[in-house]
Amino acid sequence: MTTVRRAVLTLPAAPLGPDNPLPALRAPAGAGAHAVDPRTFAELPRDMARGIGRDPLRSLLPAPVRDGYGRERTPADLDTIVVENDRLRVTVLPGLGGRVHSLHHKPTGRELLYRNPVFQPAAFALNGAWFSGGVEWNIGATGHTTLSCSPLHAATVRAPDGGPMLRLWEWERLRDLPFQVDLWLPEGSDFLYVGVRIRNPHERTAPVYWWSNIAVPEDRRVLAPADAAWHHGYERGLSRVPVPVTEDGTDRTYPLNSTHAADWFYDLPEGRRRWIAALDADGTGLVQTSTDPLRGRKLFVWGTGRGGRRWQEWLTEPGTPGYAEIQAGLARTQLEHLELAAGAEFSWLEAYGPIAADPATALGEEWSAARADVERSLGGALPRAAVDAAYTAWREGAADLAPEEVLAAGSGWGALEVLRGGHDLPGTPFPESTLGPDQEPWRELLRTGVLPAPVNGAARLIAPLVASPWRDMLETAPADPTTEYQLGIAQWHAGDRAQAVRSWERGLKEAGTRWPLLYCLAVADREDGHPERAADHFEEAFTDHEATAGGTETATGPGTTTAGADGDEGRALVATALGREALDALLAVDRPDRARALWHRLPDSARRRGAFRLIEVRLLLAERRPDEARAVFDAGFEVADLREGAEVLGELWQRFTDELLPDAYEFRMRPS
């Protein structure tokens, strides 16, 4: 019989650390890696171009940036939930985005996924911390979800066949939408069933993005029912190419045949069964299939070049085999977003399990025969009609069932939205009992029409909310500095930048603690093309925090405050975040003298971090001290939150030497 139980997984792990305390006013730092150049964009099919241009993120609000992690790993216990029958054992990480860490096939003893032997955050999620391996559920906007390293609600529910089912659910904050992921194993099944639902409880159309991301060993062949794919690389192009052999004569269905990192979005014909498979040399491996609404299929490869190899090592540890990603999404490409009407939902069923095909055919040169052989094998193991029937049984008989035993708790943001909007969401309760300190100021605003005043007049960073109903409440609340600060953030998110600046400037006139407002004005200056003024504001924000840091209360992260012994840690966190912004701004306008003076005022713990060692290189070069900049590289440093596609290390290296960039700093993901 199928069982669902709690367990513990021990892995070498780097702690996530605290969130960045500053509001995320800018669009994702890595957004350019997923962009399309204007000329290519103009040549795309109209519906694809419309999807790519639909509601791009103006900022990461209201999500926080997660950049507090490092690269020192020690053994740590991770809470897991295990779903198991006599054929499969599925290990889920409810505290880390509901990631499926392992899919173990008992009869063959095979691990069907790439299972990362460590937990190492890296800056690949839209808001920072992300980790590789397993199956992740990406919702929100193009990229890895902001929930990659966040807890989800989890509970047992009755599956369509009466057995136990694991339900995961949360409120996704970028698009302000609730979603659920139901996982169950029918008795005797070789396939994990996954029912997914995204609901729009609002009175407006919402942009929707979803891709299920599956990590598999890279020494595989990837097959899907397509003769063409949309190829996207870090050169920002998007072109339709033949599958499996591209114009240069290379069979790209083998990940190790590619030198550089790239995406291939398979162009599946209408009416064909949706599936993608990764097979090893003996014709066995993993297959993922779904009902028709999950239209897209994709292969991502890191490539065999130095940059791709370095990233693979960066995400795990030396000597670990590499991986590729096979993915499934709602649109043809990950660059597109769909529209979800008010009061409507998207729902579908996915299935994951083992596949065994004839290796001579499935790995052979005849592509149509290879695909047909895999499709025949899939049809025998799990007919298309069985997937459709399982979806119907789940959607009509199980998706709305109330959770039974609660296994894990997510955030309180969904409870706050239900409290405000009175939403009725059968199957995914967000009870008031899940409200916590982050939500309490907003609950007070909802109850009284007033945001709570700061304690003792000290700075208090409240985790922002930016949806229009909350903005409306802020506009009618008493106009004290705390309210003007939050109102400006909500206006900025809505695209009303001029009004946001006016709100922050009004708040600044009466604020005892000025640095949060000065930071926001600095970002506005930089985004609006005034880098000198931005540098002044960033520097002023750092100085104001330095002067007021002796207060009784200082933010240690969005929505949390601390005092006493913990206050030193909180003050250092804010000083580090503001200092990094200020140094970057000062160097951008060629003010090395002022940057050096600020450098000496940073906490010692900040100057030792890899991100600041990188700033030190820039500072030394600005001071015309190339030999000392080279010495920083020679001594060695690691920038824990280096962004996907970052080329800054190579660019700086080339400013003082023509030597080959050492492997430790080679993270470039595109051709030279």
Side-chain angles (χ1 to χ4, degrees):
M1 294 180 62
T2 300
T3 60
V4 177
R5 57 183 171 85
R6 292 188 182 94
V8 173
L9 174 69
T10 302
L11 290 178
L16 278 170
D19 292 345
N20 191 302
L22 307 177
L25 299 176
R26 282 166 286 187
H34 302 290
V36 177
D37 67 78
R39 185 174 65 179
T40 300
F41 186 82
E43 297 172 351
L44 295 175
R46 184 171 298 178
D47 62 331
M48 182 179 286
R50 197 160 45 238
I52 293 174
R54 181 173 288 127
D55 293 294
L57 292 179
R58 296 190 184 97
S59 74
L60 279 171
L61 294 166
V65 172
R66 313 201 72 176
D67 60 1
Y69 54 87
R71 294 193 53 81
E72 293 185 8
R73 297 190 290 267
T74 56
D77 292 338
L78 304 179
D79 291 332
T80 68
I81 300 173
V82 177
V83 184
E84 187 169 11
N85 67 2
D86 61 334
R87 310 291 293 177
L88 287 172
R89 182 168 59 250
V90 185
T91 304
V92 179
L93 301 172
L96 296 168
R99 180 82 58 100
V100 175
H101 174 73
S102 170
L103 186 60
H104 178 79
H105 188 232
K106 294 180 179 181
T108 60
R110 287 176 175 262
E111 173 58 51
L112 300 180
L113 306 172
Y114 166 78
R115 184 176 56 192
N116 198 332
V118 305
F119 172 69
Q120 175 57 63
F124 278 74
L126 287 164
N127 63 335
W130 172 86
F131 64 107
S132 66
V135 183
E136 60 176 311
W137 319 112
N138 288 306
I139 181 174
T142 299
H144 296 282
T145 177
T146 60
L147 296 168
S148 291
C149 292
S150 296
L152 302 189
H153 299 283
T156 57
V157 186
R158 288 297 100 189
D161 62 0
M165 177 168 73
L166 171 62
R167 174 162 300 159
L168 306 166
W169 73 100
E170 235 320 342
W171 197 282
E172 199 283 316
R173 301 182 68 205
L174 290 184
R175 302 304 193 183
D176 207 20
L177 301 174
F179 71 98
Q180 73 188 76
V181 180
D182 289 354
L183 303 95
W184 76 99
L185 291 170
E187 188 173 350
S189 174
D190 280 308
F191 283 82
L192 170 68
Y193 287 0
V194 181
V196 183
R197 175 166 60 171
I198 304 170
R199 287 186 274 198
N200 180 6
H202 307 296
E203 296 179 354
R204 54 171 173 76
T205 299
V208 169
Y209 171 94
W210 181 279
W211 282 79
S212 303
N213 186 354
I214 310 145
V216 294
E218 65 181 351
D219 58 344
R220 300 289 190 266
R221 188 184 203 187
V222 175
L223 299 98
D227 292 310
W230 291 93
H231 170 252
H232 180 261
Y234 287 80
E235 305 89 345
R236 301 179 63 180
L238 186 64
S239 57
R240 198 169 186 269
V241 299
V243 174
V245 179
T246 53
E247 288 89 342
D248 63 359
T250 304
D251 187 339
R252 300 293 180 179
T253 62
Y254 288 91
L256 290 173
N257 282 353
S258 294
T259 304
H260 301 288
D263 303 319
W264 279 273
F265 300 102
Y266 295 112
D267 199 355
L268 275 60
E270 290 295 334
R272 293 295 299 272
R273 186 175 186 182
R274 314 298 197 193
W275 60 269
I276 189 167
L279 306 182
D280 61 17
D282 64 4
T284 62
L286 171 75
V287 65
Q288 186 270 2
T289 188
S290 71
T291 50
D292 289 351
L294 202 64
R295 176 183 184 180
R297 293 298 185 276
K298 170 193 165 182
L299 166 64
F300 166 77
V301 300
W302 287 102
T304 58
R306 295 173 70 223
R309 292 299 94 188
R310 181 64 177 125
W311 275 117
Q312 293 256 26
E313 181 183 76
W314 185 255
L315 296 171
T316 177
E317 57 187 4
T320 302
Y323 76 96
E325 295 171 359
I326 58 175
Q327 303 188 23
L330 286 172
R332 278 174 298 184
T333 73
Q334 286 181 322
L335 311 179
E336 302 166 74
H337 296 74
L338 303 184
E339 286 186 336
L340 181 57
E345 70 173 49
F346 287 139
S347 61
W348 64 92
L349 184 99
E350 305 180 42
Y352 296 77
I355 190 77
D358 174 22
T361 305
L363 307 181
E365 295 183 3
E366 179 52 53
W367 178 242
S368 60
R371 285 182 359 222
D373 189 65
V374 174
E375 195 150 0
R376 278 194 299 270
S377 179
L378 174 59
L382 186 64
R384 182 176 186 176
V387 174
D388 293 338
Y391 166 75
T392 300
W394 166 74
R395 182 61 193 86
E396 295 180 357
D400 286 347
L401 292 178
E404 297 176 356
E405 181 187 1
V406 174
L407 301 176
S411 77
W413 295 113
L416 186 67
E417 292 302 327
V418 169
L419 189 64
R420 181 201 59 76
H423 305 303
D424 182 23
L425 300 168
T428 54
F430 294 95
E432 287 191 47
S433 60
T434 61
L435 293 169
D438 283 355
Q439 293 81 43
E440 191 54 41
W442 297 101
R443 187 184 192 182
E444 186 72 8
L445 174 66
L446 188 62
R447 188 178 66 85
T448 67
V450 180
L451 270 181
V455 177
N456 297 327
R460 187 182 189 206
L461 286 187
I462 297 171
L465 283 176
V466 294
S468 56
W470 296 105
R471 186 172 72 248
D472 292 343
M473 281 184 267
L474 289 167
E475 287 175 345
T476 59
D480 58 37
T482 298
T483 301
E484 295 286 14
Y485 169 71
Q486 290 291 343
L487 176 58
I489 290 173
Q491 292 165 333
W492 178 268
H493 174 76
D496 192 351
R497 293 188 171 186
Q499 189 58 55
V501 169
R502 284 192 286 272
S503 295
W504 292 326
E505 288 176 340
R506 284 196 304 267
L508 199 59
K509 293 177 182 178
E510 299 181 7
T513 299
R514 297 161 50 87
W515 66 262
L517 293 151
L518 289 166
Y519 165 77
C520 292
L521 290 169
V523 174
D525 288 333
R526 182 153 62 186
E527 295 294 297
D528 291 339
H530 304 293
E532 292 84 2
R533 197 164 68 200
D536 291 338
H537 273 138
F538 278 124
E539 189 177 16
E540 189 179 356
F542 182 88
T543 300
D544 182 76
H545 175 263
E546 192 176 44
T548 60
T552 59
E553 186 183 76
T554 303
T556 59
T560 60
T561 56
T562 190
D566 292 334
D568 291 341
E569 182 180 349
R571 286 187 282 273
L573 180 66
V574 176
T576 297
L578 288 173
R580 188 172 180 179
E581 295 277 6
L583 287 168
D584 182 71
L586 289 167
L587 290 173
V589 295
D590 196 24
R591 296 177 181 173
D593 293 344
R594 286 166 63 176
R596 177 60 69 183
L598 193 147
W599 173 269
H600 289 302
R601 293 153 59 194
L602 288 169
D604 291 340
S605 59
R607 287 196 296 265
R608 292 193 295 268
R609 291 178 56 181
F612 284 86
R613 297 283 282 164
L614 178 61
I615 291 174
E616 185 180 14
V617 171
R618 294 174 55 201
L619 179 54
L620 289 166
L621 288 171
E623 294 170 332
R624 295 177 173 81
R625 298 157 66 185
D627 291 343
E628 292 173 72
R630 168 65 185 263
V632 176
F633 270 87
D634 291 343
F637 63 93
E638 293 183 326
V639 183
D641 61 339
L642 194 70
R643 291 295 313 191
E644 174 184 7
E647 299 182 346
V648 62
L649 293 171
E651 292 167 354
L652 291 174
W653 177 263
Q654 291 171 351
R655 289 180 59 182
F656 51 73
T657 181
D658 293 329
E659 297 174 25
L660 182 68
L661 181 67
D663 287 344
Y665 303 115
E666 180 57 273
F667 291 93
R668 291 171 290 193
M669 298 176 70
R670 61 177 177 170
S672 301

